[in-house]
Amino acid sequence: MKEAIQNLLQLQTIDRKLDTLERAKGDLPQKVQQVKSELEKARETLQNNESSLTELQKELRRVELEISTLNTKKKKSEEQLYAVQTNKEYDAVTLEIEQAIEKIDAMENSEIELLDKEKDASEQVKLAKEALAKMEDDFQKTSVKLAKTIEANADKEKSLTEERKSIANKIKVDYLRIYERIRKPKAGLPLVTIERGACGGCYTNIPPQRVMEVRESDRLILCEHCGRILYWQDEEELTIK
Ligand SMILES: [Zn+2]
């Protein structure tokens, strides 16, 4: 067999092994990526929920403080009521008390609303924390699984990659380019034998003249139909294999 073809065949064998290793990883890398981005979103949601809760609590404290200030003011006015001398003074203090009561009412209503909102917000924080914990667990499991698979294949992959490099070094750049171009769309089988006068990849008949060329010529000959690199395998070589 021609040396160039022999080298390309070796490359093909290695590439198929590398493909198998890649498939063993499956969709784990994408899954890890996906879980990771969900994890980031969950963290963001939790942060947003926590800051809304903090805002509500601040607002609640402000309202409570105001209620207490108003109550103090009201109490003072009520005490003043005993000391008033004139009707005019009495009316003024009474008005102050009424205004304070109105404001306290309004503030107490806001307080109730805020307490409701705070309860909801706390619930949201709790849910977001639970969701995040579950996602962190998922992420942990998925990445551990991937890490194990990668680790198991790492050595194999490394030696195959090294082997591939040393073989690729022996192959003409032009040939390598052709090989790489066919490799992807042809599902990792850029080289095929001629079987009973037909391309072993697409089964299109190959004219005898061309078959001769594949056998004799030193250049690479591609199937005119599917574009794969054709090679000839002698009977003896077949039986050795
Ligand atoms: Zn073909």
Side-chain angles (χ1 to χ4, degrees):
M1 204 190 290
K2 287 175 277 187
E3 204 191 329
I5 289 289
Q6 252 169 358
N7 290 334
L8 282 169
L9 275 174
Q10 274 188 50
L11 204 63
Q12 175 165 284
T13 306
I14 290 168
D15 280 340
R16 282 173 75 75
K17 283 180 188 166
L18 283 167
D19 286 347
T20 310
L21 286 181
E22 197 53 41
R23 272 197 300 276
K25 286 181 206 165
D27 62 349
L28 275 170
Q30 287 100 303
K31 226 173 153 188
V32 168
Q33 242 358 79
Q34 197 194 327
V35 180
K36 209 172 171 182
S37 83
E38 277 169 14
L39 195 64
E40 272 153 25
K41 264 188 230 150
R43 277 195 188 120
E44 214 173 281
T45 306
L46 178 61
Q47 250 172 24
N48 291 340
N49 290 351
E50 279 175 337
S51 68
S52 324
L53 181 61
T54 312
E55 278 308 305
L56 279 168
Q57 285 167 337
K58 256 192 230 163
E59 178 70 4
L60 199 56
R61 273 196 297 277
R62 193 186 64 77
V63 167
E64 281 165 350
L65 187 72
E66 204 166 333
I67 291 173
S68 126
T69 311
L70 283 165
N71 271 320
T72 312
K73 209 174 149 195
K74 191 184 124 211
K75 219 173 150 194
K76 234 184 202 168
S77 301
E78 280 165 349
E79 280 161 8
Q80 263 179 23
L81 213 50
Y82 296 108
V84 292
Q85 308 278 330
T86 65
N87 275 346
K88 203 181 163 196
E89 265 182 300
Y90 180 85
D91 288 345
V93 176
T94 311
L95 186 66
E96 267 177 30
I97 295 171
E98 275 166 10
Q99 280 171 344
I101 290 173
E102 251 173 58
K103 274 188 195 163
I104 291 169
D105 266 358
M107 282 291 143
E108 280 176 348
N109 282 337
S110 324
E111 189 190 14
I112 290 168
E113 262 175 48
L114 284 169
L115 281 168
D116 265 355
K117 282 187 189 166
E118 192 208 13
K119 200 180 146 208
D120 285 347
S122 303
E123 183 63 22
Q124 292 302 316
V125 167
K126 193 183 145 223
L127 290 176
K129 271 185 186 161
E130 282 168 5
L132 182 61
K134 197 188 164 290
M135 273 174 201
E136 272 168 348
D137 192 44
D138 265 8
F139 179 68
Q140 193 61 23
K141 278 180 193 153
T142 312
S143 43
V144 165
K145 209 168 153 192
L146 178 65
K148 273 185 188 163
T149 314
I150 290 175
E151 201 187 331
N153 291 338
D155 286 346
K156 243 195 226 172
E157 199 172 328
K158 198 177 161 227
S159 70
L160 280 171
T161 309
E162 273 163 18
E163 209 182 324
R164 189 189 196 280
K165 216 185 274 171
S166 78
I167 290 165
N169 277 338
K170 294 189 222 159
I171 301 170
K172 273 197 219 168
V173 179
D174 286 356
Y175 287 2
L176 266 182
R177 212 170 285 147
I178 292 169
Y179 172 90
E180 294 295 356
R181 201 181 59 218
I182 314 167
R183 189 170 130 69
K184 273 216 173 128
K186 298 302 174 195
L189 264 186
L191 283 91
V192 288
T193 48
I194 295 176
E195 289 164 21
R196 291 189 209 94
C199 163
C202 68
Y203 308 110
T204 301
N205 277 322
I206 295 159
Q209 176 58 35
R210 206 147 174 81
V211 176
M212 279 304 285
E213 259 185 278
V214 172
R215 295 185 69 165
E216 313 288 337
S217 164
D218 268 338
R219 56 190 189 92
L220 288 193
I221 294 167
L222 310 182
C223 168
E224 277 175 356
H225 187 71
C226 70
R228 289 185 176 90
I229 301 165
L230 296 167
Y231 69 96
W232 183 260
Q233 193 146 39
D234 288 325
E235 294 284 332
E236 311 88 78
E237 283 173 331
L238 272 173
T239 42
I240 290 164
K241 265 195 171 178

